Amino acid sequence: MKFAAPGEKETVEIENACGRYLAEPLMADHDVPAFDRSPYDGFALRAEDTISLSSSNPGRFEVIGQIGAGSVFTGTVGPTQAVRIMTGAQIPEGSNAVIMLELTKEIGSSIEIKRSLSVGENISFKGEDTQKGTVLAERGTRINAGIAALLATFGYKNVPVARKPIVGVLATGSELLDIDEPIQPGKIRNSNTYMLMGQIERAGGKPIYLGKMEDNLEECYKAVAEAMGKVDILITTGGVSVGDYDYLPAIYEKLGAEVLFNKIGMRPGSVTTVAQSNGKLLFGLSGNPSACYVGFELFVRPVMRTNLFNTRPHLRKARARLASDFSKANPFTRFVRGTLQYDEDGTLAVAPSGFDKSSAVSSLASADVLIVLPGGTRGYQEGMLVDILLLEDQTGSEWPWENIVASYK
């Protein structure tokens, strides 16, 4: 995270802003409402003229005009007078309450009222929603439909947003087939690339597939060196374990890149390697799909979110009841792909989403959390409370997750 830094700003039209991240705080440059207005169709009048009114003692008010939304009444409301007012219209001078239309009876050019009103009743006052100068959304906030409404309210036709970080994906391995190639003995289709591209988009970045690399050191080096000039962050998948054809350590050395760490005490994703070259990060993720997936969420995502000016870049942590046994021993902290569910009483529960091996693909399809099972345990039983990391959440978290980090120590 020492190499994660805020990125650059660009401007997009408001209709293209949803899903992007604010590059500047969203400020209110005027009060909302900008004037006292009516939240209902009805009649504006003076509350003091209604004090003694009741069903047994109704009162009559002369209707002296009408105000549509967007119009202004130029007169002044006097004693026992009323002005017909539409929802959203400005409260006329002299009046201090609004009675809803359904509570009145029209009699010619007058209305009859059978109840008293208090001063300010049924009036939306200037600035009661938002006051000028209020920070409505901080820099780094993800723009959703509600933020878009605020942007429109305050006249942001063009919205300052964080430029999407360009994240390149290089797949390594002679065993990889393109997705439209028929299955061959000893070969697998290149699923990691498309999984990572989806994760990159979910995290707010712009994915670029830079192709496959065969198991050849010089070819791999040239591909990585060329890719570094095209991207903000580079991800390679595969080639990071200890086999004869795992070239990434040698490539990093040839590039002059500094290896920040190589191998992690966790499952899956223990072979995750991260290096930096002139401040640009290179992530060497496992070729196993689940390990690659977890490595991205724990290490690449926070860097990307920081680049998007977000101050809560890590996955958000919550607690849930384990809905099934997980008997596998954990010498290292394990991040299990899981699915949220609700018990009959509404209690939040979580269960592994399928086959739990680092090579598994099927368990990723329904995974919306990572179940965190600290190391040094002999398994977990149904009903136990466990930490979970929310994959689809946009709120995020600051580092660290205290009790999770403690489990590594």
Side-chain angles (χ1 to χ4, degrees):
M1 291 305 291
K2 291 179 181 177
F3 295 90
E8 300 174 358
K9 180 177 74 172
E10 65 182 12
T11 301
V12 299
E13 293 184 344
I14 188 171
E15 52 264 39
N16 299 318
C18 276
R20 303 294 296 270
Y21 291 77
L22 288 171
E24 297 174 0
L26 171 55
M27 303 284 291
D29 62 2
H30 60 79
D31 291 335
V32 177
F35 47 83
D36 294 349
R37 66 185 182 187
S38 175
Y40 306 110
D41 286 354
F43 292 89
L45 42 71
R46 302 182 344 147
E48 53 266 38
D49 296 335
T50 69
I51 292 174
S52 62
L53 301 185
S54 66
S55 57
S56 60
N57 183 38
R60 285 200 180 188
F61 289 73
E62 177 191 6
V63 179
I64 62 171
Q66 179 171 302
I67 319 168
S71 300
V72 176
F73 185 72
T74 56
T76 300
V77 177
T80 64
Q81 291 183 333
V83 173
R84 176 78 163 89
I85 193 168
M86 308 301 175
T87 301
Q90 183 170 325
I91 302 297
E93 186 177 344
S95 62
N96 55 20
V98 172
I99 186 168
M100 291 185 285
L101 183 65
E102 55 267 33
L103 298 178
T104 67
K105 180 180 180 181
E106 295 190 52
I107 303 173
S109 60
S110 299
I111 56 170
E112 184 179 76
I113 299 176
K114 296 182 178 181
R115 56 156 293 182
S116 62
L117 299 171
S118 57
V119 174
E121 188 167 343
N122 296 329
I123 293 179
S124 295
F125 290 99
K126 177 182 178 181
E128 71 174 12
D129 184 350
T130 303
Q131 295 185 345
K132 182 179 180 180
T134 301
V135 176
L136 301 166
E138 298 289 351
R139 184 173 82 152
T141 299
R142 185 175 184 272
I143 300 170
N144 56 23
I147 298 293
L150 289 173
L151 290 166
T153 297
F154 293 101
Y156 283 83
K157 178 175 174 57
N158 297 303
V159 183
V161 298
R163 180 181 67 82
K164 291 185 177 184
I166 299 171
V167 184
V169 178
L170 272 172
T172 66
S174 299
E175 77 279 12
L176 296 178
L177 297 170
D178 288 331
I179 59 172
D180 56 353
E181 292 185 83
I183 287 293
Q184 303 171 28
K187 303 283 188 177
I188 59 173
R189 290 198 177 101
N190 179 17
S191 61
N192 281 2
T193 289
Y194 302 95
M195 174 185 73
L196 282 169
M197 291 175 75
Q199 289 178 283
I200 291 165
E201 288 192 350
R202 179 169 67 183
K206 180 180 179 180
I208 295 181
Y209 176 42
L210 298 169
K212 294 184 301 180
M213 299 185 292
E214 299 291 330
D215 289 326
N216 176 285
L217 177 58
E218 191 59 32
E219 180 186 327
C220 289
Y221 167 73
K222 288 179 180 179
V224 171
E226 182 180 343
M228 290 293 288
K230 299 178 179 178
V231 300
D232 299 307
I233 296 169
L234 179 63
I235 299 174
T236 55
T237 174
V240 290
S241 60
V242 293
D244 292 340
Y245 299 111
D246 295 322
Y247 295 130
L248 272 188
I251 291 171
Y252 291 156
E253 184 177 355
K254 196 169 182 178
L255 282 171
E258 174 193 5
V259 176
L260 303 180
F261 51 86
N262 176 33
K263 311 294 187 292
I264 304 168
M266 72 180 205
R267 297 289 187 272
S270 61
V271 298
T272 302
T273 300
V274 182
Q276 69 87 18
S277 177
N278 297 317
K280 188 174 291 188
L281 288 169
L282 303 91
F283 292 89
L285 303 183
S286 172
N288 285 322
S290 288
C292 179
Y293 184 96
V294 171
F296 177 92
E297 294 298 331
L298 295 184
F299 299 104
V300 185
R301 179 191 188 276
V303 172
M304 291 178 58
R305 285 291 173 91
T306 301
N307 194 256
L308 295 165
F309 305 112
N310 193 279
T311 58
R312 299 174 62 85
H314 299 273
L315 294 172
R316 184 180 179 185
K317 181 173 71 70
R319 298 276 281 172
R321 188 187 63 78
L322 196 58
S324 61
D325 291 343
F326 190 89
S327 57
K328 188 180 295 185
N330 291 319
F332 300 103
T333 295
R334 186 177 294 277
F335 296 89
V336 180
R337 283 75 63 211
T339 304
L340 283 177
Q341 51 190 249
Y342 293 90
D343 292 341
E344 291 183 0
D345 62 357
T347 303
L348 187 64
V350 66
S353 58
F355 183 53
D356 184 62
K357 280 194 175 181
S358 62
S359 59
V361 177
S362 58
S363 61
L364 296 171
S366 59
D368 50 18
V369 301
L370 298 178
I371 307 170
V372 184
L373 304 179
T377 61
R378 294 185 177 275
Y380 285 76
Q381 287 74 50
E382 180 181 347
M384 290 179 122
L385 281 176
V386 293
D387 288 321
I388 57 174
L389 302 178
L390 306 176
L391 295 170
E392 299 291 347
D393 169 77
Q394 296 297 339
T395 304
S397 170
E398 297 178 14
W399 182 263
W401 309 299
E402 298 290 352
N403 57 335
I404 293 178
V405 175
S407 72
Y408 286 98
K409 297 178 181 178

